[in-house]
C-alpha cells in the first residue's frame, strides 16, 4: 500500500477503496444521501493525484532487535474430572460464592474483579460465580437475555485476569448449571 503524502490526503489506492466502501453505505436519513455524495466527490476532487511511491523493502520495515514482544497470557485450564466430581458431591467445598443477579455489566465487572482478587489473597482454590440464566420475559432488550451469562466468561478470559484465574467451566446443576461457573483461582506468586 502506498504511503500518504501529507496529513489528511489519501493515496490513489485509498481513494479507490474508500469510493467502493462509500457506495455500499446507506445513510440513516434519506436527506443525508445527497450530502454524503457531495462529500465523497469533494474528497476525490480536492486531492492532487500524485504517483504512488514504491513500497519499502522488507529489510527496511524490520523492527529493531531491542523491542520485545509482550509476554503471552497464561493459559486457562478446566477442572480435573475427579476434582469436579468431588465438588458436585460435596466432598470438596466451594471456597466462596458471588451472585451477580440484578447488577449492571459495569457493576458486575467491578464486583467480580474485586471478588476474584480477594479470593486469591485468601488462597481459595475454587469459587462459584452465579450469573443467572437470563430472564425469558419481554424486558429483554432486542432479544438479548443473559448478558452476564455471556459476558462473565469473556471477562475471565481477558489477559489481565489470567494472573488470578486458572480456569473456569459451567457449574453442575446442583450449583446452578448454565447460570453459574466454577472458577479456579491461581495461587499467588
Amino acid at each position: 500500500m502506498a504511503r500518504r503524502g501529507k496529513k489528511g490526503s489519501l493515496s490513489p489506492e485509498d481513494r479507490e477503496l474508500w469510493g467502493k466502501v462509500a457506495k455500499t453505505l446507506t445513510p440513516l436519513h434519506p436527506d443525508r444521501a445527497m450530502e454524503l455524495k457531495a462529500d465523497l466527490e469533494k474528497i476525490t476532487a480536492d486531492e492532487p493525484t500524485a504517483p504512488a511511491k514504491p513500497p519499502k523493502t522488507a529489510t527496511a520495515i524490520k523492527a529493531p532487535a531491542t523491542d520485545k514482544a509482550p509476554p503471552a497470557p497464561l493459559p486457562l485450564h478446566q477442572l480435573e474430572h475427579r476434582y469436579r466430581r468431588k465438588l458436585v458431591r460435596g466432598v470438596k467445598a466451594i471456597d466462596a460464592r458471588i451472585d451477580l443477579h440484578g447488577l449492571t455489566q459495569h457493576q458486575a465487572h467491578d464486583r467480580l474483579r474485586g471478588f476474584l482478587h480477594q479470593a486469591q489473597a485468601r488462597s481459595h482454590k475454587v469459587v462459584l460465580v452465579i450469573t443467572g440464566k437470563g430472564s425469558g420475559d419481554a424486558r429483554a432488550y432486542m432479544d438479548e437475555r443473559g448478558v452476564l451469562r455471556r459476558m462473565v466468561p469473556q471477562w475471565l478470559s481477558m489477559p489481565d485476569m489470567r494472573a488470578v484465574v486458572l480456569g473456569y467451566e459451567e457449574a453442575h446443576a446442583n450449583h446452578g448449571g448454565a447460570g453459574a461457573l466454577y472458577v479456579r483461582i491461581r495461587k499467588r506468586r
Side-chain angles (χ1 to χ4, degrees), residues 141-168:
Y141 176 70
M142 295 180 66
D143 294 330
E144 189 171 351
R145 296 180 187 96
V147 175
L148 294 180
R149 178 181 174 195
R150 182 175 37 86
M151 293 303 297
V152 168
Q154 291 178 21
W155 297 337
L156 295 174
S157 300
M158 293 174 78
D160 64 325
M161 290 304 298
R162 300 284 178 91
V164 178
V165 176
L166 184 60
Y168 64 91

Side-chain angles (χ1 to χ4, degrees), residues 1-181:
M1 181 187 254
R3 295 188 59 145
R4 292 183 185 186
K6 58 183 178 176
K7 186 176 178 182
S9 64
L10 298 175
S11 68
E13 293 89 10
D14 289 342
R15 266 190 266 127
E16 180 183 343
L17 181 61
W18 175 247
K20 288 179 182 178
V21 170
K23 288 178 185 175
T24 65
L25 299 177
T26 305
L28 295 175
H29 194 276
D31 295 338
R32 289 276 297 149
M34 297 306 281
E35 293 174 29
L36 291 176
K37 188 173 181 181
D39 289 345
L40 177 61
E41 289 172 0
K42 182 182 175 192
I43 289 172
T44 56
D46 287 349
E47 295 187 17
T49 55
K53 295 180 184 176
K56 293 186 178 183
T57 60
T59 55
I61 298 175
K62 283 186 181 177
T66 57
D67 290 343
K68 293 184 180 179
L74 299 169
L76 292 173
H77 303 283
Q78 287 189 325
L79 289 172
E80 291 83 17
H81 181 70
R82 286 184 181 175
Y83 194 86
R84 180 183 168 89
R85 196 170 7 160
K86 289 179 182 180
L87 278 174
V88 172
R89 292 181 180 170
V91 175
K92 293 279 186 183
I94 294 172
D95 297 316
R97 301 166 193 263
I98 185 170
D99 190 347
L100 303 175
H101 277 107
L103 301 177
T104 65
Q105 285 186 52
H106 182 69
Q107 291 170 333
H109 188 241
D110 288 345
R111 286 198 190 159
L112 179 64
R113 288 177 61 83
F115 171 76
L116 293 174
H117 284 288
Q118 193 175 47
Q120 185 182 43
R122 293 180 177 171
S123 300
H124 291 325
K125 291 183 179 183
V126 176
V127 297
L128 184 69
V129 177
I130 303 167
T131 61
K133 296 179 184 178
S135 62
D137 63 4
R139 292 184 306 163
Y141 176 70
M142 295 180 66
D143 294 330
E144 189 171 351
R145 296 180 187 96
V147 175
L148 294 180
R149 178 181 174 195
R150 182 175 37 86
M151 293 303 297
V152 168
Q154 291 178 21
W155 297 337
L156 295 174
S157 300
M158 293 174 78
D160 64 325
M161 290 304 298
R162 300 284 178 91
V164 178
V165 176
L166 184 60
Y168 64 91
E169 64 184 66
E170 186 176 300
H172 187 270
N174 295 348
H175 293 126
L181 296 167

